[in-house]
Amino acid sequence: MAVVNRALKYDGTVSAAVTVDLVIFTVREASLRVLLIERGKPPFEGGLALPGGYVRVGEGLDQAALRELAEETGIDGRELHLEQLRAFGAPERDPRGRTFTVAYLALGPDLPTPVAGTDAATAHWVPVEAALSAELAFDHLAILKEGLDRARAKLEYTTVAAAFCRQPFTLAELRHVYEVIWGIPLDPSNFRRKVTKAAHFVEATGESRTPEIGRPAALYRRGSAELLFPPMPRSADGDDASV
Amino acid sequence: MAVVNRALKYDGTVSAAVTVDLVIFTVREASLRVLLIERGKPPFEGGLALPGGYVRVGEGLDQAALRELAEETGIDGRELHLEQLRAFGAPERDPRGRTFTVAYLALGPDLPTPVAGTDAATAHWVPVEAALSAELAFDHLAILKEGLDRARAKLEYTTVAAAFCRQPFTLAELRHVYEVIWGIPLDPSNFRRKVTKAAHFVEATGESRTPEIGRPAALYRRGSAELLFPPMPRSADGDDASV
DNA sequence: CCCACTTAAAGTCCTACTGACCATAAGTCG
DNA sequence: CGACTTATGGTCAGTAGGACTTTAAGTGGG
């Protein structure tokens, strides 16, 4: 390590390893789930952690996030929503030494059960409530919380909710995404009015899908809009208090 | 290269310098300004750049941002709003070698003209329109743009606008912040109704200030609320289109 | 001392959006 | 065919916001 700080650095400035960590959410079976791995080696061996890994030479941050996503889950990242959360760099966040991590938030439709990656022993889709009360490695609990907050907030004023739905989808499925992530029920009728009136949130395919019971539902696919204006109203009594 | 990298770490992972860069905004004389420095040494010597510097050993990111803020501007960061934007880490962003930077956004009332810091030759408050068409060092133009977008967006749904006003302030001063940052005029009457009805955005001091001409204006100070609900409406014809 | 001027503050009117409902449609299953 | 389920459409009242008018409270000039 000492060799690393060669002529490059003069005084007390840091030369450190940089990693990316991913908060990957999906909606499955009426619950919001996050992908966690059991660490295959120390530190925190056997403990739960967010998937992630070192940024490589010549590799950008987004690029590293996409690669880790593919390696740990076997998923082509171009199919999901991926955005940077922020950087975390508390001096003691990694017992091995100084590391910085750049956290990413990934949102996608019910994803295949991931294959074991390089570092990861096994990966699971864990309901977020369970994950929030679990002991996660490093500062991953804080990262998860920020990812959850960001996801909840983004549903309000963007169209990312549709990223959780495999296309084509019904409006009930889209509404279900909101209900699960916000943890509150929404009025189906008002939700429909809102979504269909918003410009380019969803566009009707003209087809419909007949469920086992009940009236067939019209099918939609994602529209071109990224922002949702006016925003989807979240009832004033926020659930941020629920920790 | 290959040999070097192998010596650095086991495989092709990065060990790099980490810096913080600050986008510091203030409102002065009817324009939004950003603090830029003339670089005192290569690379980009003599060019304009955002203030910033290396993160030190044992120092957290927020801590580094606060320290740089004090060093470059002589300002006590506890008096302004400071938040992380995100990390930037394109492989070629620094000609000296691989570096990552964590960008911060700082918002404050009309700040004193900063003193020359360690690296900085001289610092100036540059109107943002000018800064956007200037040639900034590294990827600082992209960082500035993101900071500007973030600031504009945050005025909508948070109470940060008040961070630009020295307390106590009049509602006209607060409105002026919105008008300058959004670049659009707001109706004084509707603005007043909105701000005073919102819970804990501002609280009246009971006093008033008599200007050189015109009716005296009531004085307010910041309230306890951080979020603004419902949001301050930005006229539908947003400037998001301007890219 | 009254008036012109400036800005602050308060009120009016109308439209758009939303929450809480109720009603109807279109399937499946007995 | 009728019961059940879910989808879709409509009504109605309350609220928030844009455009606008009116009144208030200072200044300085004739």
Side-chain angles (χ1 to χ4, degrees), chain A residues 207-232:
Chain A
E207 302 181 345
S208 65
R209 178 193 298 158
T210 302
E212 301 191 352
I213 51 176
R215 174 175 172 175
L219 292 174
Y220 296 81
R221 57 182 62 248
R222 300 194 257 277
S224 56
E226 303 249 314
L227 292 175
L228 179 58
F229 187 84
M232 181 75 62

Side-chain angles (χ1 to χ4, degrees), chain B residues 2-68:
Chain B
V3 182
V4 176
N5 290 335
R6 191 162 278 286
L8 282 172
K9 304 198 114 249
Y10 26 97
D11 55 53
T13 61
V14 204
S15 183
V18 178
T19 62
V20 291
D21 285 311
L22 293 105
V23 180
I24 315 174
F25 285 133
T26 194
V27 172
R28 176 188 289 188
E29 293 168 18
S31 77
L32 178 66
R33 310 211 172 189
V34 61
L35 188 70
L36 296 181
I37 62 165
E38 287 180 32
R39 287 183 56 82
K41 50 186 175 185
F44 301 98
E45 185 169 5
L48 287 171
L50 296 172
Y54 290 100
V55 176
R56 297 189 180 156
V57 172
E59 189 180 51
L61 290 169
D62 291 3
Q63 198 178 348
L66 282 169
R67 177 180 51 75
E68 289 291 340

Side-chain angles (χ1 to χ4, degrees), chain B residues 119-207:
Chain B
D119 290 10
T122 40
H124 315 273
W125 288 107
V126 180
V128 282
E129 322 86 65
L132 286 174
S133 52
E135 292 211 354
L136 300 187
F138 309 106
D139 48 4
H140 288 188
L141 184 60
I143 296 175
L144 171 60
K145 280 182 183 167
E146 285 212 17
L148 180 58
D149 286 346
R150 176 88 134 249
R152 283 179 170 159
K154 281 224 151 188
L155 289 195
E156 289 190 58
Y157 59 93
T158 73
T159 60
V160 280
F164 286 97
C165 299
R166 198 175 303 285
Q167 308 200 59
F169 51 86
T170 69
L171 293 191
E173 288 167 352
L174 184 61
R175 178 168 46 84
H176 188 234
V177 169
Y178 279 92
E179 293 179 327
V180 165
I181 297 181
W182 283 351
I184 55 176
L186 298 178
D187 183 275
S189 185
N190 294 337
F191 181 82
R192 162 182 313 279
R193 176 178 61 190
K194 175 77 186 168
V195 168
T196 53
K197 274 194 174 178
H200 307 295
F201 187 171
V202 297
E203 38 188 53
T205 64
E207 302 181 345

